[in-house]
Amino acid sequence: MERIVVTGGAVLEGEVEVPGAKNSVLKLMAASLLAEGRTVLRDVPGIVDVRIMAELLRRLGCVVEHDAAARTCAIDVPAEVGHRADYELVRAMRASISVLGPLTARVGRADVAVPGGDAIGSRGLDLHVEGLRAMGADVHVDHGYLVTEAPAGGLRGAEVALAFPSVGATENLLMAAVLARGRTVLSGVAREPEIDDLVDLLLAMGARISGRGGSELVVDGVDALSPAEHAVVPDRVVAGTWAYAAAITGGRVHVRGARPEHLVMALDKLREAGAEVEPTGTGILVQGPDRPRPVDVATLPYPGFPTDLQPFALALAAVADGSCVVTENLFEARFRFAHELERLGADLVVDGHHVLVRGRPGLSAAPVEASDIRAGAALVVAALRAEGTTAVHGVGHVDRGYEDVVAALRGLGADVRREVVEPAEALLPVD
Ligand code: UD1
C-alpha cells in the first residue's frame, strides 16, 4: 500500500508540464482497432490507465509498445482482432467500454463486461446501446457482458439524437459510424476537446466526418480505414489541477502546455476568485490571491465547468473568504470527496447535489482517503493548505490519471513524499 504524505504551508512557485489527456488517449487507443496496421500516438501520458488499455488491446490480439520515457504508444493491429473485454479490466477502468463501438464496427461483435457503478455514480450505458441498435446492432446482456452483434453486411448509418451529450456515447457511436454503411447523423453530441481529438485521429485514418466541434456530427461510412500517427491533445484536467493548486496556495505557477481555450469557464472562475491568469503562448501563468474570494460553481457538459475539476473548486471554496455553493450536475455520487475535505477541517454542508461551503483561513491535517482520481489529486492539493502533515491514502486512484504528482509538486517547492506502508501501518499516524 502506498500513501502520499503532504506537509502543508507551501506556496507553489515554478513550472509544470502538462502531458496528453487521459480522457483522450484511451479513446484514441481504442480507435486504433478500426484499422489493420501500426497506429502511433505521441504525447501519451505515463499513467496507469494507459497501461490498462494497452493490456486490453493486447488481449484483443494487438502488439502494443508503450514507451513512457518517449511518451509514445505504437499499436500494431492484426487483420483479425478478438472481441472480448474482460471484467477484471473493465472493473479496473471503466473507459474500457470505449472498445464497444470500434469492435462492433470492425469485428461485427463485442463482448464487453458491464462496468457497474463506481465511486462517482451509477453511469448508465443506455445511450451507447440505443445508438448501436439504431445502426442495426443486436445488443443484449449475457452473464454480465454487454454483447453486441452487427447485422450481416455490417452496421448501417442512422440518425441518432442523444438525449444527453454523453462523452462516452458520442465517442463509441462515432467510432462505430466511421465504418458503417451510409450516412450517420449524430446530434446532441458532447463537444469536449477530447471528442475533437478523436475526430482528428479518425480523419487522419481516412474517415469522413463533418461538424467537428459542433453539436451535430455527420459521418459517411467508409469500407476500411488506415493506421495513422497522432499527437494527443494536452490534458485540460491536469492543467486545471495545477492552475487551481496555484490559486489555493497563493502561488505563481506556469502551466506549460495548457490550452486556455479549453479551460475558459474554469479560468474565469479562478479570476473571479481573485487569481491572475495570463495565457503565455506556451501555456498559462497563474498567480493566486492571498486568500481566494468565494465563487459559486455549477458543473455542466463542455463548455460548462468540468465535473472533473469540481473537487478543486470545492478545495478552493474551503479556504475562501466567505461562503459559496458548488453544484454537481453530472455525477450524483461525486461528493464523497466533500466528506474527506471535512476531515481536513472544511466547513461545509452537503444537500443533494449542492454543497454549501463556508470558507476558513486554513485547513488542518488529517489522514484522508481518495475515492477517485480527481478526489485523490484534490486531497493532495487541499493538504497544501492544511496545517500539519496529511496522509492521503488510496494513491492508486491518483496514479490512474496523473504521471507523478509528487515529483511535480516537489518541483514547485512543496513538502510532499510518497511512502510504501504495510497495510497495518497505513492506519498509524504519520511521523
Ligand atoms: C467522461 C470522462 C470523465 C468526465 C465525464 C464528463 C473519460 C474516461 N471519462 O466520462 O472523466 O467526468 O466524461 O465530462 O473520458 N449517461 C447516461 N447514459 C449513457 C451515458 C451517460 O445516463 O448512456 C450519464 C452518466 O451516468 C453521467 C452523465 O451521463 O451521469 C455523463 O456521462 P458521460 O458524459 O458519458 O461521461 P463518461 O464518458 O462516462
Side-chain angles (χ1 to χ4, degrees):
M1 287 177 78
E2 290 187 88
R3 60 186 182 188
I4 293 177
V5 177
V6 185
T7 301
V11 171
L12 301 184
E13 299 269 357
E15 184 169 276
V16 279
E17 180 93 33
V18 178
K22 170 183 94 73
N23 286 354
S24 190
V25 70
L26 302 173
K27 327 307 169 62
L28 302 175
M29 291 172 78
S32 72
L33 290 166
L34 290 162
E36 181 186 348
R38 187 179 180 88
T39 283
V40 178
L41 301 175
R42 287 180 278 113
D43 297 338
V44 172
I47 54 175
V48 168
D49 275 15
V50 166
R51 295 210 283 276
I52 297 174
M53 186 54 96
E55 176 59 22
L56 174 48
L57 295 182
R58 285 188 191 105
R59 290 192 197 180
L60 291 168
C62 304
V63 176
V64 184
E65 291 163 28
H66 174 209
D67 182 339
R71 293 209 164 141
T72 57
C73 187
I75 304 157
D76 282 295
V77 180
E80 301 281 326
V81 291
H83 55 76
R84 189 176 165 90
D86 292 323
Y87 179 52
E88 63 175 294
L89 293 178
V90 179
R91 194 174 54 165
M93 187 186 72
R94 194 177 188 283
S96 304
I97 58 160
S98 50
V99 298
L100 193 66
L103 290 180
T104 310
R106 171 132 188 263
V107 185
R109 177 176 177 132
D111 293 45
V112 178
V114 176
D118 61 20
I120 62 172
S122 58
R123 305 178 86 176
L125 286 177
D126 50 318
L127 302 171
H128 304 238
V129 170
E130 280 168 25
L132 288 172
R133 282 195 177 133
M135 290 186 211
D138 176 65
V139 187
H140 56 276
V141 175
D142 192 20
H143 297 293
Y145 280 73
L146 193 63
V147 179
T148 63
E149 285 168 283
L155 293 174
R156 43 180 190 267
E159 302 223 341
V160 180
L162 294 182
F164 177 86
S166 154
V167 172
T170 300
E171 292 162 340
N172 255 327
L173 299 178
L174 179 61
M175 290 188 278
V178 288
L179 287 181
R181 277 179 296 128
R183 171 168 285 194
T184 299
V185 181
L186 299 173
S187 55
V189 296
R191 295 160 56 199
E192 268 72 0
E194 295 77 28
I195 306 278
D196 293 352
D197 206 28
L198 177 60
V199 169
D200 289 342
L201 173 65
L202 294 171
L203 290 172
M205 293 171 85
R208 293 173 57 202
I209 303 166
S210 60
R212 180 188 181 279
S215 55
E216 182 173 285
L217 293 168
V218 179
V219 186
D220 287 302
V222 295
D223 291 338
L225 295 170
S226 320
E229 266 200 54
H230 179 83
V232 184
V233 69
D235 196 314
R236 67 196 161 94
V237 181
V238 171
T241 297
W242 298 126
Y244 273 70
I248 286 166
T249 63
R252 184 180 179 82
V253 176
H254 185 223
V255 189
R256 182 182 284 277
R259 299 240 180 113
E261 67 274 24
H262 293 166
L263 281 161
V264 171
M265 188 66 77
L267 298 181
D268 277 356
K269 292 291 177 184
L270 274 188
R271 290 189 186 99
E272 260 184 66
E276 286 170 32
V277 183
E278 291 301 330
T280 60
T282 54
I284 48 174
L285 181 66
V286 182
Q287 167 70 61
D290 289 337
R291 177 107 190 257
R293 289 193 288 267
V295 186
D296 292 339
V297 165
T299 65
L300 279 177
Y302 191 85
F305 192 93
T307 175
D308 287 353
L309 290 178
Q310 175 259 104
F312 303 93
L314 262 185
L316 186 73
V319 295
D321 189 10
S323 302
C324 61
V325 176
V326 175
T327 302
E328 173 56 53
N329 290 312
L330 272 81
F331 293 114
E332 74 267 22
R334 204 153 205 172
F335 285 145
R336 206 182 277 189
F337 165 73
H339 298 298
E340 291 302 297
L341 202 54
E342 276 187 301
R343 304 204 71 255
L344 291 177
D347 182 0
L348 52 86
V349 181
V350 179
D351 181 12
H353 64 134
H354 305 289
V355 188
L356 169 66
V357 192
R358 298 183 197 91
R360 322 179 73 134
L363 301 171
S364 80
V368 286
E369 176 89 35
S371 53
D372 67 74
I373 304 174
R374 309 305 168 191
L379 285 170
V380 172
V381 168
L384 296 167
R385 274 296 291 264
E387 198 219 325
T389 300
T390 292
V392 181
H393 299 274
V395 168
H397 287 294
V398 183
D399 294 336
R400 290 190 44 204
Y402 292 84
E403 278 192 339
D404 190 346
V405 93
V406 168
L409 282 170
R410 288 171 83 107
L412 296 173
D415 183 350
V416 185
R417 65 183 192 274
R418 194 177 171 114
E419 284 181 351
V420 178
V421 282
E422 295 303 321
E425 264 181 65
L427 301 172
L428 299 175
V430 180
D431 295 332

